[in-house]
Amino acid sequence: MQTESSAIDEAYKFLRAALNPDGSLTRSQVFPSVPPTPQLTANSPSETQLALTKDIHLHNSNITFLRLFRPANHTGKLPIIIDFHGSGFVICSAASAPFNELWIRACAFAPALIISVEYRLAPEHRLPAAYDDAIEAVMWVRDQAKGIDGCDPWMKEVADYSKVYMMGMSAGGNIAYHAGLRALDADISPVQIKGLILNQPFFGGVQRTPSEERLSHNPAFPLNASDLMWSLALPVGCNRDHEYCNPLVGCSPKIGRLPRCLIRGFEGDLLVDRIKGLAKLLEASGVQVVVKIEDGGFHGAELSDDQSKVQELCLQIKDFIDSS
């Protein structure tokens, strides 16, 4: 029988991280970082020819930034997708290779201007730090729309501020959800948030769900890793029924004001029951919800070598935007 100590040790190995005495993490590089490519060159890899990318500082003190993705061969205005990367609030970056490659494809296919947010990671910066960074990114888009302190040339050329979406995978889906709630009471005019795209959003709770019990040892995302991520991300002293983690406990009265939502999941993901529960909560609150739960699959399947999962995600994003 596995002890609690051995389960925690295995979870740290899964994250490729080690906890330091001061409470910070030493992180091994799970994925390589990719530099931006603001201009295409003759020797650019073929997979990067689809889009241009560049980084913009968001908050110098917090060392946060925005990575912009725009289709390489597109003219005219584009919807804006503000994206938050996954990995449990504690690892990876907007510049991590799998996310970078995924959004290059998605921005060209949608097509859309994607703004991926480099937010602060836990446990050095526990929640709500990531939510604060998310809403700061929204405000940056608002200021671009108003022309405050000038306007980035890409934003001026292609951004359609009447069609803004907030999107995230895993922990990023959690961030998109909570940032969407915050944006309801923020002065973001003339920006219009048309929808949320929650891809396998990362939520939890004290009481185990059947899918968590059934898939607790799933190698793509084991339950002990989920528990560890929440223990590192939540405010000190809070359990998994905190509002940041479990929206079904003491749900926000603002939920019914959220825009249209696309919620995606896989039956092979231990989070699937919580994803279905969130979809039912939103629908019961009067939110228009498009639910896409696929048979099989696993958490983060789009980051694997299965290109069919990438194509499926891109198609669903495009359909959701086109039908808004």
Side-chain angles (χ1 to χ4, degrees):
M1 181 176 180
Q2 188 179 49
T3 66
E4 181 178 354
S5 176
S6 64
I8 293 174
D9 289 343
E10 285 187 8
Y12 274 113
K13 289 179 182 178
F14 178 83
L15 296 182
R16 299 185 190 178
L19 185 65
N20 300 317
D22 65 357
S24 65
L25 280 186
T26 296
R27 301 167 175 86
S28 299
Q29 193 173 47
V30 179
F31 302 114
S33 292
V34 178
T37 55
Q39 294 180 329
L40 299 182
T41 62
N43 60 353
S44 295
S46 58
E47 64 269 17
T48 66
Q49 295 282 351
L50 297 172
L52 304 175
T53 64
K54 70 175 176 180
D55 293 344
I56 295 174
H57 287 295
L58 181 60
H59 194 299
N60 289 333
S61 297
N62 293 338
I63 320 178
T64 53
F65 65 85
L66 308 172
R67 174 158 291 189
L68 274 60
F69 299 76
R70 64 174 292 183
N73 299 304
H74 183 90
T75 58
K77 296 298 184 180
L78 293 169
I80 300 168
I81 299 175
I82 304 174
D83 172 69
F84 311 99
H85 69 82
S87 295
F89 305 105
V90 297
I91 57 174
C92 291
S93 163
S96 294
F99 298 114
N100 189 80
E101 293 166 7
L102 179 59
W103 301 139
I104 282 175
R105 294 178 181 276
C107 90
F109 186 79
L113 175 66
I114 296 181
I115 302 172
S116 188
V117 182
E118 178 76 349
Y119 55 86
R120 289 169 291 169
L121 298 178
E124 295 86 352
H125 306 282
R126 291 176 176 266
L127 295 174
Y131 305 153
D132 295 340
D133 297 340
I135 205 67
E136 186 172 12
V138 174
M139 293 306 183
W140 180 86
V141 174
R142 178 203 64 181
D143 291 348
Q144 290 292 301
K146 290 184 174 183
I148 297 175
D149 297 328
C151 186
D152 176 80
W154 288 13
M155 300 295 290
K156 185 175 183 179
E157 290 169 20
V158 301
D160 183 347
Y161 298 102
S162 70
K163 297 178 181 178
V164 178
Y165 298 82
M166 300 176 73
M167 175 174 71
M169 175 187 293
S170 190
N174 177 296
I175 296 170
Y177 171 78
H178 283 287
L181 287 173
R182 286 192 178 196
L184 294 172
D185 296 325
D187 177 13
I188 63 172
S189 178
V191 167
Q192 298 178 39
I193 297 178
K194 294 294 189 180
L196 305 182
I197 301 171
L198 310 181
N199 183 19
Q200 307 155 70
F202 183 33
F203 291 99
V206 172
Q207 184 67 39
R208 301 299 193 194
T209 66
S211 64
E212 287 174 339
E213 293 178 343
R214 184 177 71 255
L215 298 165
S216 62
H217 297 291
N218 187 296
F221 188 37
L223 187 58
N224 58 10
S226 173
D227 289 348
L228 176 59
M229 288 170 168
W230 281 119
S231 72
L232 295 172
L234 288 169
V236 174
C238 296
N239 66 23
R240 293 190 306 273
D241 278 341
H242 189 279
E243 63 179 311
Y244 297 160
C245 180
N246 191 350
L248 304 185
V249 175
C251 65
S252 170
K254 299 192 295 184
I255 286 178
R257 294 165 51 201
L258 285 172
R260 188 166 175 257
C261 294
L262 168 62
I263 298 181
R264 304 183 73 252
F266 294 104
E267 290 290 356
D269 180 4
L270 63 83
L271 299 179
V272 68
D273 287 347
R274 296 197 182 279
I275 293 168
K276 293 176 180 178
L278 176 64
K280 290 179 180 178
L281 172 66
L282 291 170
E283 289 174 335
S285 300
V287 179
Q288 185 180 356
V289 182
V290 178
V291 183
K292 300 288 185 179
I293 305 294
E294 307 294 335
D295 290 336
F298 53 89
H299 195 73
E302 297 90 350
L303 304 182
S304 69
D305 294 330
D306 187 349
Q307 291 304 305
S308 67
K309 297 299 183 187
V310 174
Q311 294 170 3
E312 186 176 60
L313 171 62
C314 292
L315 180 60
Q316 290 177 3
I317 291 172
K318 178 176 174 57
D319 286 348
F320 183 72
I321 291 175
D322 289 347
S323 61
S324 294

